[in-house]
Each structure stands twice: as structure tokens, then as C-alpha cells.
Amino acid sequence: MPRTFRVRDIAWQAGVSETTVDRVLNGRPGVRATTVDEVHRAIADLERQRTQVRLTGRTFVVDVVVDAPERFTSAVRDALERTLPVLRPAVLRCRFDFSDEAPAGQVAQRLLRAARRGSHGVVLKAPEDPEVVAAVDRLRERGVPVVTLVTDLPGSARVAYVGIDNRAAGATAAYLVGRWGGPGAGTVLVARGRSTFEGEDARFEGFLRTLGEHSPRITVREAADGAPLAELVRAALREDPGVDAVYSMYASGSSAGVREAFAEAGRTCRLFVGHDLHPEHEHLLRTGELDVVLHHDLAGDLRRACHALLQARGELPGAPHSWPSSVQVVTPFNPPLPLPAP
């Protein structure tokens, strides 16, 4: 294997000793298969972050621990790696630790492992659970700051929250479904994902509070992350003849097929509101299957997260503070970026 990076850099990235890295690079025995995989993942991360590795000066290692479906974790990785070069003269390298619906105890152990591996800070998206909160508090005691991303842990010792203003997002959705109808409007199906995420609770609270001012009826369905939204819609249409609008609070499950489900039932969907402008939603906007996407700038959130971690370590002036990002109401006519060709 060619020596593209220093053994020291690979060891830092993988969170293992230089001796272990040397064994893996030279194919020597005595290293667990999982550790070999970690070393190879570290090299792949360094390859993607090559512009940062070339910089001189003190290097800060940031662990990104995210429990979410692959669609979101891929977006986080891509957005953060695009952000790293603009953080100069700071030199940040990221180690990614992703899972989907992991038990809270497992997420807590991964946080503590990050501290043992010499982390300078953690960006975290995880369920609001006592074990996770306790792990965040222990990291703070050890001098490792934590910034929560997209969904907050307000009862923890995290130093800041970055991400969409979830209450404002829910309120915006309520305003749209209330105004996008008029007399005779039917029931709004509200599709929820994992109720253990504080962000969804805040989003739902903002939705209900504002909905009271416009008073459409609602029915709520909850699905595990990754479940096709169309299946929730079909079930709701069978049970409630008044459903004529959909607000999907979670972005992880596939949104395709919602209007097809209405057509199968001989009904019309007057409004379909979703979250996050990922490629599927871009396509559904363009084809008219989705009316509105409530979006936020993930790259900007991650840039602010890194800024807060450096402030917490005293490397930048000022104290770290939360940065709720604004809600962008995206239609087919005002996408933040050009919609890709079909």
C-alpha cells in the first residue's frame, strides 16, 4: 500500500496507535478485523480531506457522531467536507461515526470512545435519552465540547445547538396548510418519524400552536425512520375519508408515491409539504408531486458547529452559543441550487 499519509496522521484519524497502523499498512498479523477496517476508513477520510491535511499548524480532530438514515449521514459528510477548506487557517480533520436507529446506550458508548481517542470536539445528532445526555456531560467534564446538530439535547452540557429552528419550521408548515385551502378544507395527515428526537417534538409543538389559529383538522401517524411515506398515507386514507393534505415532519423515509396513493383512493391531495431538499425531494418538486419543501442550509449549520467548537476550546474569541438556522420555504420556482436534470 503506498504511503500517501503519515502514520501519525492515520493513527489520529483512526484513533489507534501508530504501531497498530504500521501493522495494518504492512499486512502484519495481530490486529482485529474491525481495527483494520477502522484504519482503512481513516485513510479514506484523509483522502477526502486532503486539502486540510496539507495545511500546517495545530490540527483539531472533530468526531461527528450521527444516528440517522444513510440519506442524512451522507449529506452531513458531504456538507462538512466541503466546509473544511473554508475554515482556514484552522485545521480540522473529521472522524465520522454513523449509525441508524442504534440503541441509546450504544450511542453513549461511542461518545465516550471519541473522548478516549483524543477528540477535540464532537458534533452530535442523537435521540434525547438519559444515557446520551449523561455521556455528553461526561465529555464536557473531560474537556471535550459537544455541539448538537439538527436535534437538540437541551438538558445536557452541550455547548451549542446548530440546525433548523424546529418550532419555526412546524409553525411555518401549519401556516401553509391552514392558508392553502380555505373553506371546506379537509384533514391534514401529519407524518412523524422517531418521537425520541427532541427536534420532532419541537417541530410538532410549533405546528400545533400555530394550527390553532387556522383550525384545520389533523390526524397523526408515526413511522420508523426509512418507512415509505406512501404506506402511511394509504392507511390514513382508508381510515379517514377527510384526509386531503400531508405534512411529513421527517425527511428519512421515501416521499415518492404520495399522490399516487391519493389517486388510487380516488381522492385529490390539495397540499404536500416535506422537509429537506435532498435529491428525491428536488425531483418531486420538479414533477409536481411535492408542493413545498421546508429547507435549511446544512453546510452553514456545520460551519457554525465547527466555529462553536473552536470557541469552546479558546481558539476563537467569544463564547459558543446556539445558532438556529432560518427556515427556507422552497417551491419549484425558488430552489437554492439548480435542480438537476432528470
Side-chain angles (χ1 to χ4, degrees):
M1 178 182 295
R3 295 291 185 88
T4 308
F5 303 103
R6 295 182 305 174
V7 169
R8 177 181 299 177
D9 290 332
I10 299 172
W12 262 102
Q13 189 74 21
V16 299
S17 70
E18 293 181 30
T19 300
T20 298
V21 171
D22 185 71
R23 284 181 177 274
V24 173
L25 293 179
N26 290 285
R28 298 193 186 100
V31 184
R32 291 181 300 178
T34 55
T35 304
V36 173
D37 290 342
E38 287 175 351
V39 170
H40 288 302
R41 280 198 300 271
I43 294 170
D45 286 344
L46 288 172
E47 186 64 39
R48 286 190 299 270
Q49 300 170 38
R50 182 179 291 275
T51 57
Q52 291 293 99
V53 175
R54 290 197 189 106
L55 297 177
T56 59
R58 186 176 178 191
T59 297
F60 298 91
V61 177
V62 174
D63 284 275
V64 184
V65 180
V66 176
D67 186 62
E70 190 274 336
R71 170 184 287 161
F72 182 78
T73 56
S74 294
V76 168
R77 183 193 295 271
D78 293 344
L80 188 49
E81 290 179 343
R82 289 197 310 270
T83 297
L84 292 180
V86 305
L87 295 173
R88 299 175 183 176
V91 183
L92 272 70
R93 291 216 310 270
C94 295
R95 298 187 295 215
F96 298 97
D97 190 348
F98 296 152
S99 61
D100 185 6
E101 295 194 56
Q106 187 182 110
V107 176
Q109 289 302 313
R110 288 157 52 201
L111 286 170
L112 297 176
R113 179 170 175 263
R116 292 194 298 270
R117 295 167 73 193
S119 180
H120 293 109
V122 175
V123 176
L124 172 67
K125 180 186 185 295
E128 188 177 25
D129 182 275
E131 289 186 86
V132 177
V133 170
V136 171
D137 294 347
R138 288 179 65 182
L139 260 65
R140 183 69 178 273
E141 292 169 359
R142 298 180 185 184
V144 181
V146 176
V147 172
T148 51
L149 172 70
V150 178
T151 185
D152 198 10
L153 301 175
S156 71
R158 56 91 170 130
V159 298
Y161 163 75
V162 297
I164 193 170
D165 184 330
N166 282 297
R167 284 181 177 79
T172 301
Y175 179 83
L176 291 170
V177 299
R179 294 287 184 175
W180 200 309
T187 302
V188 180
L189 167 62
V190 179
R192 295 197 58 170
R194 293 176 64 179
S195 58
T196 51
F197 281 104
E198 187 273 344
E200 282 215 4
D201 290 338
R203 198 170 287 180
F204 193 55
E205 179 185 327
F207 181 82
L208 290 180
R209 182 176 299 175
T210 305
L211 196 68
E213 303 171 10
H214 304 286
S215 65
R217 297 181 303 277
I218 70 166
T219 181
V220 181
R221 297 289 187 276
E222 184 171 315
D225 285 340
L229 180 60
E231 294 306 313
L232 285 183
V233 172
R234 287 188 177 91
L237 291 171
R238 286 193 298 268
E239 298 167 15
D240 187 338
V243 171
D244 68 351
V246 177
Y247 169 40
S248 177
M249 293 177 55
Y250 71 114
S252 53
S254 174
S255 297
V258 167
R259 277 197 154 78
E260 181 180 342
F262 273 87
E264 290 170 359
R267 312 254 286 273
T268 299
C269 179
R270 67 178 170 88
L271 177 65
F272 178 15
V273 180
H275 272 274
D276 294 350
L277 197 62
H278 49 69
E280 183 194 37
H281 280 175
E282 291 180 344
H283 173 71
L284 295 178
L285 270 178
R286 188 188 326 107
T287 58
E289 296 178 66
L290 183 59
D291 297 301
V292 177
V293 172
L294 302 180
H295 184 59
H296 64 109
D297 180 9
L298 183 59
D301 294 339
L302 290 164
R303 185 169 59 252
R304 288 186 282 270
C306 293
H307 189 274
L309 291 177
L310 291 172
Q311 285 182 314
R313 300 199 64 87
E315 301 296 330
L316 289 176
H321 60 90
S322 295
W323 295 76
S325 52
S326 61
V327 182
Q328 302 176 37
V329 179
V330 181
T331 72
F333 307 101
N334 68 327
L337 297 172
L339 294 178

